[in-house]
Amino acid sequence: MRNAVYHYLQAGNSPIIVLLFLGLLCIAYALNWIVTFEPMSAGSGIPQVKGKILGLMEMNWLRVLISKFIGGVLAIGAGLSLGREGPSIQLGATIGQGLSQLFNRTKLEERYLVTSGASAGLAAAFNAPLAGVVFSLEELHKNFSPTVLMSAVAAALTAAVVTQHFFGVNPVFNFNGLPIFPISYYGYIILLGIVIGLLGVAFNRVLIKTLNTYEKQKLLSGMGKAALPLVTAGIIGFILPDVLGGGNNLVNELSAKSFSITILCILLAAKFFFTMLSYGSGVPGGIFLPMLVIGALAGSVFSHIVIQIGNLDSCYSTNIIVLSMAAYFSAVVKAPITGSILIMEMTGSFNHILSLIVVSMTSYFVADIFKIKPIYEELLERSLSKQGKVQVNMTSKKRVIVELAICIGSKLEGREIKNIDWPPQCLLISIKRGDSELVPKGDTRIQVGDYLYILANVDQEKQIHDLAKESI
């Protein structure tokens, strides 16, 4: 409907443009009301689902279900650069929670149902049941559980069957006749992974910076935060309409049409910054799909450069676009297996799993070198911090195990562990006494000749050794 509106206005009906912007302001008012009414419906929804599974957050499932559905349709439909996958995952999770409560299941079963619903939501959004299952294991639970696996598989496959009944079995992106990327070109894949990994690092840092800026600024509040990107969307709709919405049609056009490198760079910059502006406002909507589109645009720029240099056959330009989406997802979310399988299913490129994994792992390592946190974990920590539920005793410093010998006259001699003023964020993990090894307890009394093994930050070694000095 958005496309029809812009086509109508561009066909000589400019006097009605004012109604478009009044409508966008009305949507801004509605989105602000929705987020105020149900704060858990704001943003992507994936951090909220992770928080629910970890037992750190609670959701009123019915309120979130209604608010997220309406808010997501309004925000994405109005043209904000947001994705449908985050809302779909949260909608699935809330339905899982609702079923659990309606049938009076245990808390453990509720977590399984929430995870299964999230898996079904991703499968439905992208017609990607395998990715939905792997996402629930790699990103939501971060471990392999047979119980989670079986329930997530059942939910994801059921969701895929239902959505394929309505929308068909075609993948989200239409890349027909994609050739196999030759092994001799794998050096370009590694280079691509490095470049896209660096762009993924920039995405995470700029997104967090944007969220901080929205919180600190005083000019816009309430409805104004939603109005800024919506009015911007109204302007962009007349200048660069491809940037609006999630952007999966733009990815299809990249392989079907020929864009100049200048246009590609403009689209890349516009999509990147408009995504920041849209998501930073806090309205319902995800970053999953815009993230993939940014990766595809970056890959298209990369392929143009390499092809012009003369080192890459132009028939592999679409391969680069596909690989870039997986690499960008892996760098930002730090879930390379999910990224590889997701892009494989979204493109129908089931013969390209090796190249997808190579580029995904490369970009993942680049992000890891820069110590970038997975974006959804960072967003969850922000939400917990705003609610006063900050996870304590977390450190990003290098850790070492310090061996501490207790000599005669040491200040620790004869003292119980619980009465010692240990440095913060250090942990006594073992005590060696003669040939025996003791498990430390609060009432364990330290004796001369003991060897203490303490896990601590590198810069705390001197402080720990000072603890055991002889008393004067």
Side-chain angles (χ1 to χ4, degrees), residues 404-410 412-417 420 431-434 438 444-452:
L404 194 63
I406 306 300
C407 304
I408 296 176
S410 169
L412 299 183
E413 179 188 350
R415 297 181 63 184
E416 292 183 346
I417 291 173
I420 298 171
I431 300 175
K432 188 175 181 182
R433 183 171 293 170
L438 307 180
T444 302
R445 197 174 294 275
I446 296 175
Q447 299 179 6
V448 173
D450 285 350
Y451 284 85
L452 311 185

Side-chain angles (χ1 to χ4, degrees), residues 55 61 87 159 176 196 207 236 247 253 371 466:
W61 71 270
N176 297 320
I196 299 298
L207 184 64
I236 290 176
E253 289 179 1
K371 301 188 183 301
D466 288 345

Side-chain angles (χ1 to χ4, degrees), residues 344-405:
M344 181 182 69
E345 289 189 288
M346 290 180 70
T347 60
S349 309
F350 294 95
N351 295 321
H352 302 81
I353 189 65
L354 178 59
S355 55
L356 284 169
I357 290 178
V358 169
V359 76
S360 296
M361 292 305 299
T362 303
S363 64
Y364 173 89
F365 285 134
V366 170
D368 211 42
I369 288 170
F370 283 87
K371 301 188 183 301
I372 293 297
K373 290 183 180 180
I375 189 62
Y376 294 123
E377 282 192 14
E378 189 138 16
L379 293 174
L380 173 60
E381 287 180 16
R382 284 177 56 85
S383 297
L384 293 174
S385 177
K386 290 171 68 174
Q387 296 177 18
K389 299 178 181 178
V390 182
Q391 299 182 52
V392 297
N393 297 330
M394 297 184 70
T395 179
S396 59
K397 297 181 179 179
K398 289 185 177 180
R399 308 281 276 169
V400 294
I401 295 178
V402 181
E403 183 184 67
L404 194 63

Side-chain angles (χ1 to χ4, degrees), residues 400-402 427-431 437-440 452-455:
V400 294
I401 295 178
V402 181
L427 177 67
L428 177 60
I429 56 178
S430 178
I431 300 175
E437 190 168 352
L438 307 180
V439 177
L452 311 185
Y453 295 90
I454 303 167
L455 180 65

Side-chain angles (χ1 to χ4, degrees), residues 189 192-200 291-292 295 320-334 336 339-340 343 355-356 358-364 367:
I189 290 182
L192 175 66
I194 294 171
V195 172
I196 299 298
L198 293 172
L199 291 175
M291 182 200 317
L292 298 180
I320 296 295
I321 294 172
V322 172
L323 294 172
S324 298
M325 288 191 287
Y328 205 72
F329 180 91
S330 300
V332 174
V333 183
K334 300 192 77 172
S340 301
I343 300 305
S355 55
L356 284 169
V358 169
V359 76
S360 296
M361 292 305 299
T362 303
S363 64
Y364 173 89

Side-chain angles (χ1 to χ4, degrees), residues 29-67:
Y29 176 83
L31 290 173
N32 178 63
W33 186 89
I34 287 171
V35 172
T36 304
F37 171 74
E38 181 46 72
M40 288 290 282
S41 67
S44 167
I46 296 176
Q48 292 91 318
V49 173
K50 287 171 66 71
K52 172 62 181 175
I53 292 172
L54 293 172
L56 300 172
M57 290 182 172
E58 288 298 328
M59 291 193 294
N60 183 318
W61 71 270
L62 187 57
R63 280 175 38 158
V64 172
L65 180 66
I66 297 171
S67 301

Side-chain angles (χ1 to χ4, degrees), residues 2 5-6 9-10 17 20-25 77-81 226-241 244-245 274 277-278:
R2 180 184 69 236
V5 168
Y6 281 106
L9 294 174
Q10 289 172 342
I17 289 179
L20 169 67
F21 286 93
L22 286 175
L24 291 173
L25 291 176
L80 295 187
S81 182
L228 175 62
L230 282 166
V231 171
T232 304
I235 298 171
I236 290 176
F238 294 99
I239 304 171
L240 212 60
L244 298 181
F274 187 46
L277 190 66
S278 299

Side-chain angles (χ1 to χ4, degrees), residues 123-360:
F126 288 145
N127 193 15
L130 283 178
V133 174
V134 176
F135 180 80
S136 66
L137 296 171
E138 187 179 25
E139 176 60 24
L140 297 182
H141 277 258
K142 294 193 179 297
N143 61 72
F144 183 89
S145 164
T147 308
V148 173
L149 174 65
M150 296 306 296
S151 55
V153 166
L157 289 178
T158 306
V161 169
V162 172
T163 52
Q164 287 182 11
H165 173 74
F166 286 97
F167 301 112
V169 297
N170 293 327
V172 175
F173 300 130
N174 299 318
F175 297 138
N176 297 320
L178 203 63
I180 302 296
F181 207 81
I183 296 292
S184 58
Y185 282 161
Y186 269 45
Y188 293 117
I189 290 182
I190 295 174
L191 178 61
L192 175 66
I194 294 171
V195 172
I196 299 298
L198 293 172
L199 291 175
V201 170
F203 183 93
N204 281 25
R205 290 182 173 172
V206 174
L207 184 64
I208 298 302
K209 183 68 175 178
T210 303
L211 290 168
N212 292 337
T213 302
Y214 261 104
E215 286 184 2
K216 292 177 182 177
Q217 58 82 32
K218 304 296 182 183
L219 294 176
L220 300 173
S221 61
M223 173 184 162
K225 289 184 178 181
L228 175 62
L230 282 166
V231 171
T232 304
I235 298 171
I236 290 176
F238 294 99
I239 304 171
L240 212 60
D242 287 333
V243 174
L244 298 181
N248 53 296
N249 289 332
L250 177 57
V251 176
N252 289 327
E253 289 179 1
L254 289 176
S255 64
K257 299 180 181 179
S258 179
F259 291 87
S260 69
I261 193 168
T262 303
I263 295 297
L264 288 172
C265 289
I266 292 172
L267 287 170
L268 174 60
K271 188 66 177 176
F272 184 92
F273 290 108
F274 187 46
T275 299
M276 299 297 148
L277 190 66
S278 299
Y279 191 81
S281 65
V283 301
I287 52 174
F288 223 89
L289 187 54
M291 182 200 317
L292 298 180
V293 175
I294 293 169
L297 288 165
S300 190
V301 172
F302 179 90
S303 69
H304 268 67
I305 293 173
V306 178
I307 290 170
Q308 287 178 6
I309 292 173
N311 294 329
L312 180 68
D313 194 314
S314 60
C315 70
Y316 298 114
S317 59
T318 303
N319 291 68
I320 296 295
I321 294 172
V322 172
L323 294 172
S324 298
M325 288 191 287
Y328 205 72
F329 180 91
S330 300
V332 174
V333 183
K334 300 192 77 172
I337 306 302
T338 300
S340 301
I341 293 176
L342 177 66
I343 300 305
M344 181 182 69
E345 289 189 288
M346 290 180 70
T347 60
S349 309
F350 294 95
N351 295 321
H352 302 81
I353 189 65
L354 178 59
S355 55
L356 284 169
I357 290 178
V358 169
V359 76
S360 296

